């Protein structure tokens, strides 16, 4: 299932199931309306269906408590910034107020002169959990979406702590929807491509993760309780680079979808 949150006709955001075209193209083309919150229980279809192009997608999840990021989890990315791969996952927290949806603008703040994209596989947690052994990680995963761990690289170096560099409002685009039908093995071998203004910048595979999805859940749930809707960003492959106002950045993960955001100057 592909679960989206969308706004139609200026109404309130609602959850819906993205459906694929029946014309053989397999392109997502419509949304079937459902009632309630799929993270809280089984979904009920209302019978209503709207074309995808007639709605505005918003973030498929608003993390109730936190987004946990993992730094330097692809060896080639660690190397490109002259860092070594940490023995243990390097975890940090992005505030849930940094989350935006597909199509919403990344706001370039005046405090930075070096804003970077980081395309990432995002794991959405489905159950309240603590100290989950890696063999049981699948039980607490709701699904996967695409994330962009937007980072003010200059502040990251200067601040030492990453709260500000990675925590500005709009620094955590998520979407376009949550895919719930992938197993950990499938999610652990997907191609990830980030392009800026149509030009490819990152091209990696989630099989290159130093600490895999199950190990990350074990590690993160070992220090903090995870709540339904919390998100773990699994790290970014090599090829990170700058964004400037006016750019359009797209992160595509095969089998999930494409997350596109523009960059605007803070007004
Ligand atoms: Zn990152």
């Amino acid at each position: 299932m592909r679960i989206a949150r969308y706004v139609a006709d200026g109404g309130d955001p609602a959850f819906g199931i993205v459906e694929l075209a029946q014309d053989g193209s397999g392109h997502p083309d419509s949304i079937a309306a459902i009632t309630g919150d799929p993270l809280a229980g089984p979904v009920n279809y209302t019978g209503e269906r709207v074309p995808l192009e007639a709605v505005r997608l918003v973030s498929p999840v608003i993390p109730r408590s936190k987004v946990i990021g993992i730094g330097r989890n692809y060896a080639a990315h660690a190397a490109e910034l002259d860092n070594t791969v940490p023995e243990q996952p390097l975890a940090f927290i992005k505030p849930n107020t940094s989350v935006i949806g597909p199509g919403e603008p990344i706001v370039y703040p005046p405090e930075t002169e070096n804003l970077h994209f980081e395309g990432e596989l995002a794991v959405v947690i489905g159950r309240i959990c603590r100290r989950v052994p890696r063999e049981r990680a699948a039980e607490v995963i709701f699904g996967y979406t695409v994330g962009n761990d937007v980072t003010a690289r200059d502040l990251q170096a200067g601040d030492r702590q990453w709260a500000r560099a990675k925590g500005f409002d709009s620094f955590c685009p998520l979407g376009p929807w949550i895919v719930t039908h992938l197993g950990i093995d499938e999610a652990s071998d997907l191609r990830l491509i980030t392009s800026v203004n149509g030009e490819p910048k990152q091209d990696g595979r989630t099989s290159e993760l130093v600490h895999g999805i199950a190990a990350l859940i074990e590690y993160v749930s070992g220090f903090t309780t995870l709540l339904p809707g919390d998100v773990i960003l699994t790290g970014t492959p090599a090829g990170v680079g700058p964004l400037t106002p006016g750019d359009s950045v797209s992160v595509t993960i095969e089998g999930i979808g494409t997350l596109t955001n523009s960059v605007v100057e803070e007004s």
Side-chain angles (χ1 to χ4, degrees), residues 111-133:
E111 287 82 359
T112 180
E113 290 174 351
N114 194 14
L115 191 69
H116 275 203
F117 56 83
E118 294 190 357
E120 310 203 359
L121 173 72
V123 182
V124 181
I125 299 298
R127 286 168 55 173
I128 184 166
C129 58
R130 179 82 208 283
R131 293 208 184 277
V132 180

Side-chain angles (χ1 to χ4, degrees), residues 57-148:
L57 296 180
V58 295
S59 173
V61 60
I62 298 293
R64 225 191 291 175
S65 63
K66 56 201 167 296
V67 174
I68 295 111
I70 304 295
R72 301 169 191 164
N73 203 24
Y74 286 78
H77 166 63
E80 73 181 340
L81 296 181
D82 285 330
N83 292 309
T84 52
V85 170
E87 214 166 286
Q88 302 237 63
L90 173 55
F92 57 90
I93 288 182
K94 288 166 89 85
N96 58 2
T97 42
S98 64
V99 171
I100 59 172
E104 292 184 279
I106 297 164
V107 179
Y108 198 117
E111 287 82 359
T112 180
E113 290 174 351
N114 194 14
L115 191 69
H116 275 203
F117 56 83
E118 294 190 357
E120 310 203 359
L121 173 72
V123 182
V124 181
I125 299 298
R127 286 168 55 173
I128 184 166
C129 58
R130 179 82 208 283
R131 293 208 184 277
V132 180
R134 64 188 70 191
E135 314 81 71
R136 299 189 62 184
E139 297 171 34
V140 307
I141 296 175
F142 179 72
Y144 301 91
T145 189
V146 182
N148 190 343

Side-chain angles (χ1 to χ4, degrees), residues 132-203:
V132 180
R134 64 188 70 191
E135 314 81 71
R136 299 189 62 184
E139 297 171 34
V140 307
I141 296 175
F142 179 72
Y144 301 91
T145 189
V146 182
N148 190 343
D149 176 22
V150 178
T151 302
R153 200 65 75 199
D154 45 358
L155 303 186
Q156 184 183 26
D159 286 0
R160 310 279 306 272
Q161 299 287 325
W162 299 355
R164 187 169 69 131
K166 289 176 176 284
F168 274 93
D169 286 359
S170 82
F171 275 21
C172 190
L174 294 175
W177 38 70
I178 301 169
V179 167
T180 62
H181 52 261
L182 294 177
I184 289 184
D185 285 354
E186 294 165 294
S188 301
D189 194 17
L190 301 175
R191 188 177 183 190
L192 183 160
I193 296 171
T194 305
S195 7
V196 177
N197 305 323
E199 200 182 309
K201 301 288 184 184
Q202 295 184 290
D203 186 352

